Amino acid sequence: MSYCEFYGLKELPFSNVPDLRFFFNEGSSEDTLGKVVRAIDGDMSLIAFIGECGLGKTMISWRMMQILDSNDKYDVSLLVFLHNTAKVGWFISKLAAQLEVPENEDKDLLFNAVLQKMMKLTKAGRKVVILIDEATMLNKEICEEIRGMLNVMCDGKRVM
C-alpha cells in the first residue's frame, strides 16, 4: 500500500519545491508579507526576514514573488543560493537573466548592463525587487556587490 493510499491522499503532501496551494496566509505569514510589502513601498533598500529551518521562509519568498509579480509597478526576481561557493560572476549573470539582460562574457560590461536596466526600470516608475532565498550562503564578495548596487541612484531614487 502506498503512502497516499494509506492516508487517503490524492497526492504526496511534501515536496522539495514550494507549492503555493498550501500557503497558509494567517498569523505570522500574513504579518511578514504585509511588513515586506510596506517596506518595499516605503523605499527600504534592504529587508531581511530570518528564522529557523522549516518555518516557511522559502514559501513566503515564493508567495511574495507571486504578489509582487501580479502588480506592474514591480520588477521582481528570485535568486536561490544553494551553496556558499558561488562567485560574483555567477550572481551577476543570474541577476542579468532574471532582468532579461543579454548575457555577456565580460562581467564588467554585464554588470553595467544590469545597472542600466535597473535605471531604465526605475525611470519607468517600476521598483526593482530582488528576493534572495538562502542568503546565509552569500559570501563577502557578493555581499559587497549587493551593497554597491544598493547605493546606485537614478532620478533621486535607489534602483534597488
Side-chain angles (χ1 to χ4, degrees):
M1 178 176 282
S2 76
Y3 185 82
C4 288
E5 289 172 330
F6 181 81
Y7 287 104
L9 302 172
K10 294 179 184 172
E11 60 186 284
L12 291 172
F14 302 105
S15 165
N16 289 335
V17 179
D19 188 339
L20 292 175
R21 293 177 300 151
F22 300 111
F23 184 77
F24 187 62
N25 195 28
E26 297 265 337
S28 62
S29 295
E30 184 177 36
D31 189 42
T32 299
L33 287 169
K35 286 179 181 178
V36 173
V37 171
R38 284 189 300 278
I40 291 167
D41 287 341
D43 291 328
M44 295 288 293
S45 298
L46 182 65
I47 306 153
F49 54 97
I50 58 173
E52 296 293 326
C53 290
L55 289 180
K57 298 177 301 295
T58 296
M59 185 72 92
I60 288 173
S61 296
W62 281 58
R63 178 65 180 133
M64 181 60 53
M65 189 171 78
Q66 185 182 52
I67 290 168
L68 297 176
D69 231 8
S70 68
N71 189 325
D72 284 342
K73 87 177 189 183
Y74 305 105
D75 193 280
V76 62
S77 302
L78 175 64
L79 300 175
V80 180
F81 282 78
L82 300 177
H83 52 81
N84 62 1
T85 58
K87 303 285 186 218
V88 171
W90 178 90
F91 168 69
I92 298 300
S93 67
K94 294 301 176 196
L95 185 54
Q98 290 286 314
L99 293 170
E100 299 177 352
V101 172
E103 185 62 47
N104 190 322
E105 302 253 342
D106 184 324
K107 294 305 174 193
D108 290 334
L109 291 175
L110 184 60
F111 180 76
N112 287 332
V114 166
L115 290 179
Q116 291 299 318
K117 177 69 179 263
M118 293 169 115
M119 286 188 242
K120 181 179 177 183
L121 290 166
T122 301
K123 284 182 179 182
R126 296 186 59 150
K127 290 182 182 263
V128 177
V129 178
I130 301 166
L131 302 170
I132 299 176
D133 195 10
E134 300 297 342
T136 56
M137 297 293 176
L138 295 175
N139 59 40
K140 182 180 176 183
E141 291 78 23
I142 294 175
C143 287
E144 280 298 314
E145 289 296 318
I146 293 170
R147 185 195 59 75
M149 294 171 94
L150 290 170
N151 290 328
V152 176
M153 304 285 282
C154 176
D155 294 339
K157 296 178 183 174
R158 293 186 192 278
V159 299
M160 182 171 105

